[in-house]
Amino acid sequence: MEDDVLNNASVEEESPAASVDISSERPDYEAEILDIIRGNSSPRIILSKIEDYHANDIASVFGVLNGQERKKLYRISSPEMLAEIFEYIDEDDAGEYLNEMDIRKASAVVSEMETDTAANVLHQIDKEKRTLIIDSINPEIQKEIRLLASFDEDEIGSHMTTNCIIIKEDLTVKQAMNELVRQAEDNDNISTLFVVDEYDEFCGAIDLKDLIVARNTVPLDDLIVTSFPYVYANETIDDCIERLKDYSESYIPVLDNNNKVLGIITSQSIIEVVDDEMGEDYAKLAGLIAEEDLQEPLVQSMRKRLPWLVILLGLGMVVSSVVSLFDKVVAQLTLIMAFQSLILDMAGNVGTQSLAVTIRVLMDENLTFKQKGHLVSKEMRVGLCNGLLLGTISFGLVGLYIMFAKGKAAGFSFAVSGCIGFSLLLAMVISSAVGTLIPLFFKKIKVDPAVASGPLITTVNDLVAVVTYYGMSWILLINVLHFGNG
């Protein structure tokens, strides 16, 4: 009995380690797929093995394969399979891969793609080949692709798909089910059905579950949700992104200006659009005109970064010129140079925080003048309170540092630290206002605040910090307290 207890205890002690070993052994799908494609098996065997993997895993190896290996995969894969894989490949790369296929194969793949993906990928390939591919596909799909291509990139219509179920409102429940079955052959977004009237205008939506459980005697009108959200195709992404994020629907109908359903925008497309917008805003806040990637050529990266850098070089010269105006202050109090970066850094940090808050708030297009005024007031109050706290801490710590580390008198030490603390408070309040007012100004003059605000605010706040710090040092330390040559 005692031996059994000891054995059980040893098993319990070993089991956690064993479980860790098991969980740490994660399959390397990419290596497995590469081995299969590069193997000598027959096309049928390769295809049967590849089909066991998720399309996203297969898509991940496309960049690793060489052109000959990719063409091998094109030949053995069905158009349906390749279309699904292309959904997980960056559109620029997908255009390059589509360009590698012959016209017949490329046309078959495009025909199986979601229309929004097909339109975006076709835009990446040579115009001559694009025309040949479009002319080779089904006229109905041609019409859908050309519809999506008619919208600008920043309009919702360019991100929609026509893959959805649309039924008439005058049908019975049984007729609606029959229509669903008929359209489901060509459309797989069937969890929500969109209802139109006799003039094809949007009336509302029906949840598939409600239709399935409804009795034949129930009027279809009783199942229609007339308050279902929708967007217009020519609305810009910026204008309606907040509305789209507020709903948890799998997809939302996209209407034309006559309230007719053109298609839907799926939750996946919404996520991609939000991600793209965040990426663009992040790039703009950094002073870039567009996002960059690891494979981007040097010259192209330089072109994206140089415009704002040239402007900021000019502004930087202005800041340096202002600093030179205070050379007499620095000559008489060289010690204050050591704490310049403290004021500059804190002013820059506060301005960036206010900018981030303001950019986020400005996504609401319906802000009133009063709300904007409240935003400026709030940010300045936050800057004031934080400035009081940090200025007090700086007053104490810097004063002690100068007194003990530099061996200065207590009166001189705390006079300098008091000037630093007060300058910090003032710079933080002004920087909070600058970080809020500049993006509001750019928004007012119809310039994207994210483009112009980030780098500009950093430089302007440097100017604010320099003038505040050296100005207060000149007034308080030299003219009021008559310190000098310290």
Side-chain angles (χ1 to χ4, degrees):
M1 181 68 176
E2 193 175 79
D3 290 341
D4 290 341
V5 171
L6 290 173
N7 289 336
N8 289 337
S10 66
V11 169
E12 289 175 0
E13 288 175 0
E14 292 175 2
S15 59
S19 64
V20 170
D21 290 342
I22 293 170
S23 62
S24 63
E25 294 177 3
R26 301 178 64 86
D28 188 349
Y29 293 130
E30 183 174 315
E32 292 175 7
I33 294 169
L34 287 173
D35 288 341
I36 294 169
I37 295 172
R38 290 170 176 169
N40 295 320
S41 301
S42 66
R44 189 177 69 176
I45 297 300
I46 293 176
L47 181 59
S48 66
K49 291 180 179 179
I50 290 290
E51 286 177 332
D52 291 335
Y53 293 90
H54 192 279
N56 189 35
D57 296 320
I58 304 173
S60 68
V61 306
F62 264 64
V64 183
L65 297 171
N66 60 41
Q68 209 60 35
E69 290 167 338
R70 283 196 297 270
K71 288 178 181 178
K72 177 182 178 181
L73 186 59
Y74 302 152
R75 293 188 187 100
I76 66 174
S77 302
S78 66
E80 294 84 359
M81 181 177 175
L82 289 172
E84 187 178 359
I85 293 169
F86 273 40
E87 291 289 335
Y88 296 95
I89 297 177
D90 181 79
E91 288 165 1
D92 291 340
D93 294 332
E96 178 187 336
Y97 302 147
L98 194 69
N99 224 14
E100 294 175 339
M101 302 179 193
D102 60 74
I103 298 296
R104 183 179 297 178
K105 188 74 171 189
S107 301
V109 173
V110 169
S111 297
E112 296 297 332
M113 286 183 184
E114 294 285 348
T115 45
D116 56 337
T117 304
N120 292 331
V121 171
L122 284 170
H123 186 68
Q124 307 301 324
I125 67 175
D126 301 334
K127 185 176 181 180
E128 184 178 343
K129 187 165 185 176
R130 178 168 68 242
T131 303
L132 291 172
I133 291 173
I134 292 176
D135 289 343
S136 302
I137 60 181
N138 183 288
E140 190 64 31
I141 299 175
Q142 283 185 35
K143 181 181 176 182
E144 293 173 0
I145 290 175
R146 288 196 170 101
L147 171 65
L148 268 65
S150 67
F151 296 101
D152 292 336
E153 190 176 348
D154 63 342
E155 292 181 325
I156 285 292
S158 65
H159 298 275
M160 70 178 181
T161 176
T162 55
N163 184 339
C164 60
I165 306 295
I166 302 174
I167 62 173
K168 295 282 190 179
E169 67 173 341
D170 58 356
L171 302 180
T172 64
V173 168
K174 185 177 181 179
Q175 289 172 332
M177 281 297 300
N178 291 336
E179 186 63 19
L180 167 63
V181 171
R182 185 186 68 80
Q183 293 188 40
E185 294 180 10
D186 302 315
N187 303 287
D188 50 20
N189 292 322
I190 64 171
S191 61
T192 303
L193 292 72
F194 300 105
V195 185
V196 297
D197 62 15
E198 59 181 317
Y199 304 106
D200 291 331
E201 293 185 7
F202 177 65
C203 297
I206 299 176
D207 188 273
L208 176 61
K209 180 182 176 182
D210 292 339
L211 183 63
I212 291 173
V213 300
R215 295 182 179 275
N216 290 336
T217 55
V218 174
L220 197 66
D221 281 348
D222 293 352
L223 305 179
I224 300 174
V225 178
T226 56
S227 59
F228 200 86
Y230 59 89
V231 292
Y232 286 98
N234 58 0
E235 284 188 276
T236 64
I237 296 165
D238 286 340
D239 288 342
C240 60
I241 197 68
E242 286 299 310
R243 298 207 316 271
L244 292 177
K245 291 193 296 184
D246 287 340
Y247 297 102
S248 58
E249 303 296 340
S250 299
Y251 30 84
I252 295 174
V254 179
L255 314 183
D256 65 11
N257 290 330
N258 295 318
N259 299 312
K260 296 180 179 180
V261 180
L262 294 177
I264 59 171
I265 181 164
T266 65
S267 56
Q268 180 182 350
S269 294
I270 293 171
I271 292 170
E272 289 172 356
V273 167
V274 171
D275 184 60
D276 289 344
E277 286 293 297
M278 289 175 66
E280 288 174 10
D281 286 346
Y282 181 80
K284 290 170 182 176
L285 285 170
L288 305 176
I289 59 175
E291 289 186 89
E292 296 184 16
D293 57 47
L294 292 174
Q295 287 75 40
E296 192 166 74
L298 173 64
V299 175
Q300 193 172 344
S301 292
M302 288 178 62
R303 285 175 182 168
K304 290 179 178 179
R305 302 186 188 196
L306 269 177
W308 264 112
L309 291 178
V310 172
I311 295 172
L312 294 176
L313 177 63
L315 291 173
M317 289 180 178
V318 173
V319 174
S320 299
S321 300
V322 172
V323 172
S324 69
L325 297 176
F326 295 98
D327 54 357
K328 292 182 180 179
V329 178
V330 175
Q332 295 184 61
L333 283 169
T334 54
L335 181 65
I336 65 173
M337 282 287 292
F339 303 100
Q340 172 184 306
S341 61
L342 172 66
I343 309 296
L344 263 66
D345 289 347
M346 291 307 300
N349 293 337
V350 168
T352 302
Q353 288 178 339
S354 295
L355 169 64
V357 172
T358 306
I359 294 295
R360 181 68 183 83
V361 171
L362 285 178
M363 293 182 74
D364 182 359
E365 297 288 335
N366 300 315
L367 278 181
T368 63
F369 180 80
K370 183 177 180 181
Q371 289 173 319
K372 292 175 182 176
H374 176 70
L375 174 64
V376 176
S377 172
K378 179 199 168 188
E379 287 302 309
M380 291 184 68
R381 291 199 307 272
V382 171
L384 175 63
C385 294
N386 285 336
L388 281 171
L389 178 60
L390 296 176
T392 302
I393 293 172
S394 299
F395 168 70
L397 294 180
V398 172
L400 292 172
Y401 170 78
I402 295 174
M403 187 167 63
F404 291 108
K406 299 297 182 181
K408 302 292 184 180
F412 176 83
S413 300
F414 284 98
V416 173
S417 68
C419 179
I420 291 171
F422 187 72
S423 299
L424 183 61
L425 165 63
L426 198 58
M428 289 179 68
V429 173
I430 297 173
S431 295
S432 297
V434 169
T436 310
L437 288 170
I438 287 181
L440 285 173
F441 168 73
F442 281 122
K443 186 72 173 179
K444 181 71 176 177
I445 62 174
K446 308 299 182 184
V447 174
D448 189 340
V451 175
S453 299
L456 180 60
I457 282 175
T458 301
T459 308
V460 170
N461 282 340
D462 283 347
L463 183 61
V464 168
V466 165
V467 172
T468 302
Y469 183 43
Y470 287 114
M472 294 306 300
S473 298
W474 179 69
I475 294 170
L476 294 178
L477 298 180
I478 295 178
N479 289 299
V480 176
L481 299 176
H482 303 292
F483 289 122
N485 300 318

